[in-house]
Amino acid sequence: LPLLSQPYTAAEKNDLISAARRIGGLLGALNGLMKLKLPQSPSVTEPPKPPVIEEKPITIQQSNVPLPEPVKTATAKVEAPAQATIIEAEPEPEEEEPQPEVEPLSQEESNQFPIKAAGRELKLEAAQWSGDKNEIIKKVNIVAQKMEELSAIHSKLSTNPIAKKEMIQKALEITQVTNSILKDCKELAELCTDKRLKMQLLNTVDRLNTLSQQLRVVTAVKASNPNDLDTDNQLFSCASNLTETMKRLLRDSEAASVRCNFKTSGTAALAIIKFKKNLKKSKLAALKKPTTAAKLAGVTAALQQ
């Protein structure tokens, strides 16, 4: 401000232009100072409101000329798929197939039919485990049933000529099912991590394989000579040994399955081998199971007859 109040003389045109520029700069600085000192008014800070345009209704005069219909564009409403809430339900316990009750034979019937008594004893042993998801137990029950059928054929061998072929065929079926059991047990032994249990199971497999082949041969000899009592002795002994060895095979398989690592196996059949005890039936089987002395007495009485 003091500079503006002083008089200024310009001798030339250039001095006048520089003086005008200087005055302009001073006025700009003064304008900035005034903006800082003045209070801000709301009218300056708020943006201007847009002008309000009043919509006037369009009046169409009615005439005889029909108006064109408006074109309707088909707009498909796409609804967002609702998110499905996944509720994890608790796995329901699988219902096991009801297994028929196995009753032991009477002492008199066991003495009269030793092969049937051996098959029934095998059924009582297999009833201790659940047949659900266990192919070994299922096949053992099949062998036990076929042994009872073999006993029925043996009883009518001397009277029915067709019984000879039926007896040989039934022994062949027992051997085939037994070979299938041995195949499953060998695969089970390969997965067992305990060497002692593995060797024990393999030894039982070899013994059972020998006995099944022996039963087939003795049955064929008996069918060729129905009146030979010595062959009956061999047949009864072979059936009893087969039952005892298969019972041992079940116990060895159960022990080996505990020490098996099924996750590393690619065999689909072994995934269903699961030994699950039937507590009620195992107690009943232990009470109903005939003793060794009773079985020997039954075989001896049958041989004497």
Side-chain angles (χ1 to χ4, degrees):
L1 291 177
L3 291 174
L4 292 175
S5 62
Q6 294 179 4
Y8 187 82
T9 57
E12 296 180 359
K13 184 178 180 181
N14 295 332
D15 294 339
L16 183 61
I17 293 173
S18 61
R21 291 176 178 174
R22 186 178 180 186
I23 292 173
L26 293 174
L27 290 176
L30 179 62
N31 187 22
L33 292 174
M34 292 177 66
K35 287 182 178 181
L36 292 175
K37 294 298 181 180
L38 292 176
Q40 296 181 358
S41 60
S43 61
V44 176
T45 57
E46 294 180 358
K49 297 181 179 181
V52 180
I53 300 174
E54 295 181 359
E55 296 181 358
K56 296 181 179 180
I58 301 174
T59 57
I60 301 174
Q61 295 180 358
Q62 296 181 356
S63 61
N64 296 329
V65 181
L67 296 175
E69 295 181 357
V71 179
K72 296 182 180 180
T73 58
T75 58
K77 295 183 180 180
V78 180
E79 296 181 356
Q83 296 181 356
T85 57
I86 302 174
I87 302 175
E88 296 182 357
E90 296 181 356
E92 298 180 356
E94 298 180 357
E95 296 181 357
E96 298 182 359
E97 297 180 358
Q99 298 180 357
E101 294 290 338
V102 181
E103 296 292 336
L105 299 180
S106 62
Q107 187 66 30
E108 181 181 359
E109 192 175 4
S110 299
N111 297 337
Q112 188 177 1
F113 305 105
I115 302 178
K116 184 177 181 180
R120 187 61 57 90
E121 184 181 354
L122 185 58
K123 278 187 178 181
L124 290 172
E125 183 71 20
Q128 298 183 28
W129 293 276
S130 173
D132 188 26
K133 295 184 179 181
N134 194 323
E135 291 296 321
I136 294 179
I137 298 297
K138 293 179 181 178
K139 293 174 183 178
V140 168
N141 285 323
I142 294 174
V143 172
Q145 181 62 32
K146 290 185 179 297
M147 288 181 68
E148 294 188 8
E149 295 173 0
L150 180 65
S151 176
I153 298 173
H154 175 267
S155 62
K156 59 182 180 180
L157 186 62
S158 58
T159 58
N160 188 1
I162 306 178
K164 296 180 180 181
K165 293 183 180 180
E166 292 179 353
M167 190 171 183
I168 296 174
Q169 179 63 29
K170 193 61 63 177
L172 177 61
E173 293 175 1
I174 292 175
T175 304
Q176 291 175 349
V177 179
T178 304
N179 290 337
S180 179
I181 296 174
L182 297 180
K183 181 181 177 181
D184 292 341
C185 291
K186 285 180 181 179
E187 294 176 355
L188 188 66
E190 292 298 327
L191 297 177
C192 184
T193 57
D194 193 310
K195 293 183 179 180
R196 184 183 65 83
L197 296 177
K198 178 179 179 180
M199 293 304 301
Q200 183 176 341
L201 179 57
L202 290 177
N203 291 334
T204 308
V205 166
D206 292 338
R207 176 170 172 76
L208 186 59
N209 184 26
T210 303
L211 290 173
S212 65
Q213 298 296 334
Q214 183 181 355
L215 177 67
R216 181 180 176 184
V217 173
V218 173
T219 303
V221 174
K222 176 61 180 177
S224 62
N225 191 2
N227 298 322
D228 189 0
L229 298 180
D230 294 336
T231 311
D232 279 340
N233 184 11
Q234 296 177 4
L235 184 60
F236 297 157
S237 177
C238 185
S240 179
N241 293 334
L242 183 69
T243 298
E244 293 297 328
T245 307
M246 197 163 289
K247 286 164 58 178
R248 183 177 178 180
L249 181 73
L250 290 177
R251 302 189 192 101
D252 293 345
S253 299
E254 181 189 20
S257 66
V258 177
R259 301 298 298 272
C260 284
N261 187 9
F262 291 106
K263 295 181 180 180
T264 60
S265 171
T267 308
L270 289 178
I272 57 179
I273 296 179
K274 185 177 180 182
F275 285 85
K276 183 179 179 182
K277 279 282 188 179
N278 283 336
L279 298 179
K280 294 182 180 180
K281 292 186 177 181
S282 60
K283 292 180 181 179
L284 292 174
L287 295 175
K288 297 177 180 180
K289 190 184 302 183
T291 60
T292 307
K295 290 186 294 181
L296 292 176
V299 173
T300 306
L303 294 177
Q304 290 177 356
Q305 291 177 2

